[in-house]
Amino acid sequence: MKKNNGLFNPKGIFMRLSLIFCLLSTLCLTIGNAAMVKAQYGLDKRIDIYLKNSSFPELLKEIERKTGVSFIYTNKESVTDKVSISDQSKTARAILTPLLKKHDLQAVENGMMVVLRKVEVKTLIQEKPGTIVGYVKDQANNQILPYATVIVKGTNQKAMTDMNGYFVLSNIAAGKATLRISYIGFKTFETTVDVISGKVNNADLKLTSESNDMKGITVTGIRRGESVALNNMQNADNVKYVLSEEQIERFPDATVGEAMQRVPGIAMDLSYGLPRNIIIRGLDQSMGSVTLNGNRLPSTQTNSRDIDLNGILSSTVEAIEVNKTLTPDMEADATAGSVNIISKTPKIGAKQFQVKGSFGNNFLLGKQNFDGAFNYGERKNKIAYLIGVNYSNTNRGEDRVQKDYDTYTINGVEKLKLSNLELEGSDLNRENIGVQGELSFFPNQKSQIYVRGNYNKFYELQTRGTKSYSIGSYTTEDAVTGVTIGSSGTPRDYNRDLFSVSAGAKTNIANWIGNVDVTFASGLYDQPTYYDGYFTNSGMAANMDMSNPRAPQFNFTTGNPNDASQYFTSNYVNRHQIAHDKDVQGSLNIERTFDLSDKNKFMFKFGGRMKYKEDDHTRSYYQYSLKTGKLAMSDFLSDYSRKNYFNGHYDLSGAIANGYLMEQYYQNNLSLFNNNETYIRQNTDPDSYNGKENMQAGYVMGKLTLNKLDIITGVRYENTGFEYNGNIVSFDDKGNYVATRKVAVNSSFNGFFPSLNLKYALSPSTNLRAAVTKSLSRPGYYDLVPWEEIETRRKRMKKGNPDLDQATSVNYDLLFEHYLKSLGLISGGVFYKNISNYIYESIYTQQGGTYDKYQVTQTVNGANAHVYGFEVAWQQQLTFLPGFWNGFGIYANYTQIQSKFKVPGIVSDRTVRLPSMRPKVGNASLSYEKYGFSGRLSLNFYDTYINELADVEANDLMEKGRVQLDFSASQKINKRFTIFMGISNINNAQNILDFGDGRPNDHKYYSRWANLGFKYNPFY
């Protein structure tokens, strides 16, 4: 209840009416000469006063007599205290003011009249602060602008809009608040909001494009996507790179794997010419992580934690974030870095409806490709929903020539010569299905409850034709005998499925921001089809033509390599391999921001994550042997044919078996075959396992904002426990299977992972970043399984390693970044990683014990590995150029990396670069975007690197550097309809592996592929 201040007291009303009457009367008498008198006399006249123990009225009368002013007051303004004054040549004002102040009186002057009033001492009512919420949008098309910076001028209050362009500013003082909104590519905008005490105040903020005054250029489509990505990067607390949906569409990239190769510091492992596994700053995917909306994705591979990024269509993605430094609220298992895929979400203010389709051709196979996508979503007041269906049916091909070597005696001299040549042609039909959906409820403007699901199915059917030429001996440098040709046609397929469903909530209550999420995810690898009938034709002789060492030629002098009736087999192999990775994870995050001063604030955040995982792998390899006799290939002949194989160097056709016919014959004649128990046990039991993992993590972090400096620091704790069940398989001294013994193990690893990220704003568009973080890399599933394969005859064993520890790394980063108004970025930085307990596969000789002198292959923890390098990037739309030329843009990045790691050798330890680490990697592209047209010529490259380490340097496998050139273009027909096209691998880039001493080993050839399509959006 408010306190009565006397305004409605009857006595008070009478006194105030009397005062008003006196005031009006006096004004009428004095108004004519008041101004002149005030200038000469009044309270500013200097007087002498001598009073001792006098009353207040006596003082006023003395001042009236000496100055000529008239005082008007009532009993309420009278002072009962006695006054004593002895002042000379002071103004009446100086004499009177201290006394009036002491007794809460105020003098109101009007000419020579002075009215004394009692100062009302009111009880001040503290007004509650308010909250400002709203959206930042593009004025031109009403589309939301994610990651915009919203600042309350004159305070330290700042917010960044989320993926939906939404922001919340809490604890804003009631009254007028001026908001300043900045966004790369848009003009800075200011507006005033009336903040009502204790209320949620709405603000719908709209920005104007910087380039709207340039004919033909607007921040829409691709340019808008680039603007979104740049703002996300600039406002981030860590070092990261962002690709938006529009940027991904700029390249002819159908999958997330293809899109990732455009990011600075990123290289990709290729599978049949397409990027599959990500390499970040020289470290492979096993040392990083891939997440979907912040939740770690399960594996779609057989024995590792890796994700096949061919299995996620780029058309299902809203954005991709590559985090190169970590903050405590991120999982620590990301020494290489963390890739976060953000799924599509419904947008405020408009319906989303897009239909996309394309047709294409693979020029190696001469087969057609098809892609289609449908997405529909809407955000209403309280409800938002989205559903998308994406489908791709593509044909890929690979011509592969592989060479091996052995030592032969020629004219009494031992020489290293070609021992085996294998031609393997692969025709691949790939089907990708991507389905995503979201349903959200907004109980109020600051809260959201959601359920979202994603399903990605990647099915691949391979038809392979193989011929291998094995050389028995050399009679001369160019003549060989005892040549055996092996031939097979092996159909096989792969299912790689990813499924995840999440339920969660976000809210902002009394300046506390919280979010909770529970996710179930499943990753599946399934190969149900593998039918292999391997036939041989032996005892042939040939002259060798080695003029082209990458494509050796056999000119046969005896035997016919294409006579299917001369190829025989007594064995048939089929197999089924399946791996299933399932996990449930939950996370909770809570944060609160405290104002320290006008320019300084502190954000405090804490939370945790729990995860339970089950992983199992079954590898069932079967070999069946005929009880008597042999089968001729002529009864199992396929129509596989590649006349112009390996760019015309070979004819891979004729005399190739049909695996489907072999499977059919086996099923119809089971009684004719015996199971090869040794083969089955050796290829099945060591690779079959199951296990469980559980992870608990908690963190605390803070972000201190000191004017231009942000300090983000904290610590994370992670504990991972695991239980795995495997098999120990042993064989006798003749190589025959003896027994399989099951074995189980459980263990754990844990640790604290502190981090410090600094961001200093040299200017509103320039940041200097520095970071020191600690991270981990967990061993792969199979590496932790207690399996063993013991071959007594060969004194050789392979085994898992449950005693493996997680690798940890201390990472240092320094980065300069300058953001350009013309939608661009210039950045450069250096990094260094000191990795302890680096995990790698080792081949060593056992010393002592039961298996003394055995050659052991095992994944182990090694010595420290060091990775260091620098990366630079430049992307800019050249809008400062005149006329036609201002449509051009540049996109370029380059990363150079070095690494050192000591591994055991036969003679002595040697220091090498890490396998898979490309020492140089980069992109360069030239674009043109104007009048609705967008075109881009793009080049992606990497330098020669170690693909696989051997026991000696001469046998290391080195993959040669590769450069790929792509082109993509689109043209808006109108606001709703766009056509596009793309050509990939224009320059016919190939994958080539050589041994360390230069001998050719593996060569893969792909040719080109292209597509032409359209996009339609009726609700533009």
Side-chain angles (χ1 to χ4, degrees):
M1 180 180 292
K2 293 184 178 180
K3 182 179 179 181
N4 191 315
N5 58 13
L7 289 175
F8 299 100
N9 184 284
K11 181 179 177 181
I13 293 173
F14 175 77
M15 294 178 66
R16 281 160 177 75
L17 288 175
S18 300
L19 179 61
I20 293 171
F21 175 77
C22 295
L23 179 60
L24 292 176
S25 300
T26 305
L27 285 174
C28 291
L29 293 173
T30 61
I31 194 169
N33 59 2
M36 179 181 65
V37 173
K38 181 181 179 183
Q40 297 176 0
Y41 300 101
L43 295 180
D44 293 320
K45 184 178 180 180
R46 293 186 177 276
I47 60 175
D48 300 330
I49 290 185
Y50 301 95
L51 293 174
K52 187 174 182 180
N53 293 325
S54 301
S55 65
F56 182 66
E58 289 176 335
L59 171 62
L60 297 182
K61 288 179 180 180
E62 185 67 13
I63 293 175
E64 287 178 337
R65 185 175 66 80
K66 293 189 176 186
T67 62
V69 301
S70 297
F71 289 101
I72 300 175
Y73 59 97
T74 66
N75 289 337
K76 186 177 180 180
E77 287 78 31
S78 181
V79 176
T80 58
D81 294 350
K82 298 294 184 177
V83 295
S84 295
I85 296 176
S86 177
D87 288 319
Q88 291 183 343
S89 191
K90 277 191 177 182
T91 64
R93 186 184 307 281
I95 295 171
L96 189 60
T97 297
L99 186 63
L100 296 179
K101 186 176 181 180
K102 178 180 178 182
H103 293 88
D104 297 323
L105 296 175
Q106 182 182 21
V108 179
E109 300 175 65
N110 194 340
M112 297 299 289
M113 181 182 68
V114 179
V115 180
L116 300 182
R117 292 194 314 190
K118 191 75 172 177
V119 177
E120 298 290 344
V121 181
K122 299 181 180 179
T123 302
L124 298 178
I125 301 174
Q126 184 70 36
E127 291 189 296
K128 294 181 179 179
T131 300
I132 303 175
V133 301
Y135 294 88
V136 177
K137 301 179 182 179
D138 185 344
Q139 176 73 45
N141 51 33
N142 209 41
Q143 290 186 343
I144 55 96
L145 294 175
Y147 312 113
T149 302
V150 184
I151 298 174
V152 182
K153 287 190 68 176
T155 74
N156 66 340
Q157 296 283 54
K158 180 171 73 172
M160 185 175 71
T161 59
D162 63 13
M163 276 291 296
N164 295 309
Y166 183 71
F167 71 93
V168 176
L169 283 164
S170 303
N171 201 31
I172 308 300
K176 301 284 187 182
T178 300
L179 303 185
R180 179 183 177 89
I181 305 94
S182 58
Y183 205 77
I184 297 172
F186 288 77
K187 296 177 181 178
T188 300
F189 173 70
E190 289 190 5
T191 187
T192 300
V193 178
D194 290 319
V195 180
I196 301 174
S197 173
K199 300 291 184 182
V200 176
N201 305 270
N202 292 294
D204 199 9
L205 311 175
K206 296 187 177 182
L207 307 185
T208 304
S209 166
E210 283 274 9
S211 55
N212 276 349
D213 56 342
M214 303 181 69
K215 188 175 180 181
I217 298 177
T218 55
V219 182
T220 59
I222 292 172
R223 289 183 185 270
R224 179 185 177 277
E226 192 164 358
S227 179
V228 170
L230 291 172
N231 279 278
N232 187 352
M233 293 155 58
Q234 183 183 25
N235 290 305
D237 289 334
N238 61 326
V239 177
K240 72 177 178 179
Y241 192 87
V242 181
L243 278 174
S244 70
E245 174 187 4
E246 294 87 349
Q247 287 176 293
I248 294 170
E249 291 179 347
R250 169 184 292 178
F251 301 98
D253 299 334
T255 67
V256 168
E258 291 178 88
M260 290 307 306
Q261 65 187 331
R262 315 295 178 180
V263 176
I266 299 294
M268 300 296 296
D269 271 337
L270 301 182
S271 172
Y272 298 100
L274 292 178
R276 179 174 69 180
N277 294 337
I278 187 170
I279 311 292
I280 306 177
R281 289 178 166 178
L283 301 176
D284 63 36
Q285 193 178 122
S286 67
M287 301 193 70
S289 64
V290 179
T291 62
L292 177 65
N293 300 318
N295 293 305
R296 178 78 180 252
L297 285 171
S299 172
T300 55
Q301 304 284 44
T302 54
N303 293 323
S304 71
R305 301 177 189 271
D306 295 348
I307 310 296
D308 188 336
L309 295 177
N310 278 323
I312 305 177
L313 292 171
S314 58
S315 55
T316 68
V317 170
E318 180 104 340
I320 303 173
E321 299 176 331
V322 180
N323 296 287
K324 296 182 179 179
T325 67
L326 304 179
T327 53
D329 54 349
M330 301 169 62
E331 285 200 39
D333 187 6
T335 291
S338 171
V339 176
N340 184 36
I341 300 169
I342 301 173
S343 62
K344 290 187 175 182
T345 58
K347 299 296 186 298
I348 187 71
K351 289 184 178 180
Q352 295 170 258
F353 179 48
Q354 185 183 79
V355 178
K356 179 181 177 182
S358 72
F359 301 87
N361 186 71
N362 182 282
F363 292 99
L364 181 66
L365 304 179
K367 294 183 179 180
Q368 285 66 53
N369 302 323
F370 167 76
D371 295 274
F374 165 87
N375 289 280
Y376 182 78
E378 186 177 8
R379 167 79 184 271
K380 296 182 178 180
N381 184 32
K382 295 284 188 180
I383 297 291
Y385 60 88
L386 178 139
I387 187 169
V389 179
N390 306 264
Y391 177 75
S392 172
N393 189 317
T394 60
N395 288 282
R396 308 287 180 184
E398 177 182 272
D399 291 354
R400 182 178 184 182
V401 177
Q402 189 167 11
K403 296 160 283 290
D404 288 305
Y405 303 84
D406 205 345
T407 301
Y408 293 88
T409 301
I410 305 174
N411 296 326
V413 180
E414 288 190 347
K415 292 187 177 182
L416 189 63
K417 301 287 286 184
L418 180 73
S419 62
N420 191 79
L421 171 70
E422 181 173 275
L423 311 181
E424 182 184 81
S426 298
D427 295 22
L428 290 74
N429 179 252
R430 289 180 166 177
E431 287 188 274
N432 289 74
I433 299 173
V435 180
Q436 68 275 351
E438 179 176 325
L439 178 64
S440 289
F441 172 65
F442 300 86
N444 56 56
Q445 292 171 303
K446 297 192 290 183
S447 301
Q448 176 188 7
I449 301 171
Y450 63 84
V451 177
R452 61 172 65 104
N454 290 269
Y455 174 68
N456 289 275
K457 181 176 183 60
F458 173 29
Y459 176 75
E460 178 177 281
L461 176 61
Q462 295 185 9
T463 302
R464 295 191 302 169
T466 303
K467 280 190 176 180
S468 62
Y469 303 80
S470 178
I471 298 173
S473 62
Y474 281 78
T475 56
T476 68
E477 291 282 351
D478 301 318
V480 295
T481 60
V483 178
T484 298
I485 304 177
S487 178
S488 66
T490 310
R492 61 179 182 178
D493 64 357
Y494 298 93
N495 290 277
R496 292 182 176 92
D497 297 354
L498 266 176
F499 171 75
S500 72
V501 59
S502 300
K506 305 174 184 178
T507 191
N508 186 325
I509 301 175
N511 301 326
W512 288 91
I513 300 173
N515 66 74
V516 61
D517 182 277
V518 177
T519 296
F520 169 78
S522 171
L524 174 69
Y525 171 99
D526 187 14
Q527 185 191 58
T529 300
Y530 185 101
Y531 309 140
D532 185 19
Y534 186 76
F535 294 78
T536 58
N537 184 355
S538 303
M540 307 174 73
N543 292 322
M544 297 293 301
D545 181 358
M546 298 293 294
S547 58
N548 182 354
R550 299 200 176 277
Q553 301 295 318
F554 285 82
N555 299 311
F556 286 95
T557 56
T558 61
N560 183 358
N562 293 316
D563 184 357
S565 64
Q566 297 303 309
Y567 287 79
F568 300 95
T569 188
S570 58
N571 297 301
Y572 168 62
V573 171
N574 69 25
R575 70 191 193 198
H576 182 196
Q577 190 169 5
I578 185 169
H580 209 172
D581 186 6
K582 306 181 289 288
D583 60 53
V584 178
Q585 51 191 307
S587 63
L588 173 68
N589 301 280
I590 298 174
E591 67 178 87
R592 170 71 187 271
T593 299
F594 300 91
D595 296 331
L596 304 181
S597 67
D598 288 343
K599 294 186 178 181
N600 304 329
K601 62 180 179 179
F602 178 71
M603 184 276 290
F604 176 69
K605 187 176 182 181
F606 64 94
R609 178 180 293 272
M610 297 185 68
K611 183 188 299 182
Y612 173 78
K613 175 185 290 293
E614 293 183 355
D615 179 63
D616 59 77
H617 177 222
T618 302
R619 187 185 192 212
S620 301
Y621 274 35
Y622 302 101
Q623 186 182 69
Y624 311 102
S625 301
L626 281 171
K627 294 177 180 178
T628 60
K630 293 183 179 181
L631 300 175
M633 188 197 292
S634 53
D635 295 324
F636 302 93
L637 198 62
S638 77
D639 59 358
Y640 187 90
S641 178
R642 195 80 66 78
K643 294 286 187 181
N644 196 35
Y645 188 82
F646 201 62
N647 201 25
H649 287 91
Y650 299 99
D651 178 3
L652 185 61
S653 56
I656 294 177
N658 186 324
Y660 290 107
L661 294 179
M662 287 294 299
E663 168 68 8
Q664 182 180 340
Y665 181 84
Y666 167 73
Q667 294 294 341
N668 293 334
N669 299 275
L670 296 177
S671 61
L672 301 180
F673 292 87
N674 284 323
N675 293 345
N676 187 332
E677 185 73 7
T678 294
Y679 179 95
I680 293 171
R681 293 300 112 206
Q682 185 170 11
N683 288 278
T684 297
D685 294 354
D687 296 272
S688 300
Y689 65 88
N690 63 77
K692 301 175 182 178
E693 289 188 2
N694 61 83
M695 188 270 282
Q696 305 85 35
Y699 73 89
V700 60
M701 64 178 288
K703 177 180 178 181
L704 180 63
T705 299
L706 301 173
N707 196 4
K708 296 182 178 181
L709 176 65
D710 288 344
I711 304 172
I712 304 96
T713 188
V715 64
R716 183 180 185 90
Y717 174 79
E718 289 197 6
N719 177 78
T720 302
F722 60 87
E723 301 176 16
Y724 279 104
N725 303 295
N727 298 306
I728 295 178
V729 186
S730 56
F731 304 86
D732 63 22
D733 55 7
K734 294 182 180 180
N736 296 317
Y737 170 72
V738 174
T740 297
R741 178 167 58 89
K742 295 187 178 298
V743 62
V745 69
N746 64 81
S747 188
S748 66
F749 30 71
N750 55 54
F752 288 92
F753 302 92
S755 66
L756 172 66
N757 282 267
L758 304 176
K759 181 174 73 171
Y760 183 77
L762 298 172
S763 73
S765 58
T766 306
N767 291 328
L768 182 63
R769 296 179 182 270
V772 181
T773 61
K774 186 178 180 182
S775 58
L776 69 91
S777 300
R778 295 189 182 96
Y781 305 136
Y782 190 49
D783 297 332
L784 293 170
V785 175
W787 66 275
E788 291 182 9
E789 179 185 333
I790 307 166
E791 296 181 84
T792 305
R793 178 172 62 92
R794 297 181 178 180
K795 286 199 169 183
R796 189 173 67 181
M797 66 185 301
K798 299 177 181 179
K799 58 191 298 188
N801 191 353
D803 295 325
L804 273 175
D805 197 359
Q806 60 190 3
T808 60
S809 176
V810 178
N811 316 293
Y812 303 87
D813 290 83
L814 182 65
L815 178 71
F816 168 86
E817 53 186 15
H818 177 67
Y819 294 87
L820 306 170
K821 286 186 176 181
S822 57
L823 289 182
L825 166 68
I826 298 173
S827 68
V830 295
F831 57 89
Y832 170 71
K833 297 178 183 292
N834 185 358
I835 305 171
S836 302
N837 290 320
Y838 180 75
I839 300 170
Y840 75 106
E841 185 178 81
S842 174
I843 301 175
Y844 62 92
T845 301
Q846 176 72 32
Q847 300 296 328
T850 305
Y851 303 107
D852 186 38
K853 306 302 182 183
Y854 274 55
Q855 184 189 77
V856 180
T857 302
Q858 184 183 39
T859 299
V860 299
N861 290 114
N864 282 22
H866 304 270
V867 180
Y868 51 94
F870 70 88
E871 55 189 21
V872 293
W874 172 36
Q875 60 187 89
Q876 183 175 8
Q877 302 299 324
L878 307 181
T879 54
F880 56 85
L881 295 177
F884 167 83
W885 302 100
N886 60 30
F888 280 102
I890 300 293
Y891 181 90
N893 54 70
Y894 174 78
T895 302
Q896 185 161 319
I897 312 169
Q898 267 298 344
S899 61
K900 292 189 299 183
F901 177 60
K902 185 176 290 187
V903 296
I906 292 178
V907 178
S908 62
D909 293 352
R910 60 189 182 113
T911 300
V912 298
R913 293 201 304 256
L914 297 182
S916 299
M917 190 215 75
R918 282 72 165 165
K920 298 175 184 177
V921 61
N923 291 276
S925 62
L926 179 66
S927 65
Y928 188 83
E929 294 165 16
K930 197 170 182 179
Y931 299 111
F933 173 81
S934 174
R936 176 168 290 255
L937 186 65
S938 307
L939 181 146
N940 173 264
F941 66 90
Y942 58 78
D943 198 9
T944 299
Y945 70 96
I946 299 173
N947 180 279
E948 184 179 314
L949 285 171
D951 50 1
V952 294
E953 184 176 356
N955 291 332
D956 289 345
L957 282 182
M958 308 293 296
E959 182 166 333
K960 297 182 69 67
R962 184 176 187 272
V963 178
Q964 179 172 319
L965 188 65
D966 305 317
F967 176 74
S968 58
S970 66
Q971 175 64 58
K972 277 186 172 292
I973 306 303
N974 54 45
K975 289 184 176 180
R976 296 175 175 82
F977 193 81
T978 300
I979 58 174
F980 63 87
M981 61 88 66
I983 305 175
S984 297
N985 201 21
I986 296 172
N987 61 325
N988 190 21
Q990 301 159 42
N991 281 86
I992 302 173
L993 280 80
D994 291 344
F995 287 105
D997 57 8
R999 288 170 291 142
N1001 172 251
D1002 199 356
H1003 198 139
K1004 301 172 184 176
Y1005 178 92
Y1006 307 105
S1007 189
R1008 306 164 187 85
W1009 54 94
N1011 68 329
L1012 175 66
F1014 71 93
K1015 290 187 293 184
Y1016 177 65
N1017 185 352
F1019 299 123
Y1020 178 86

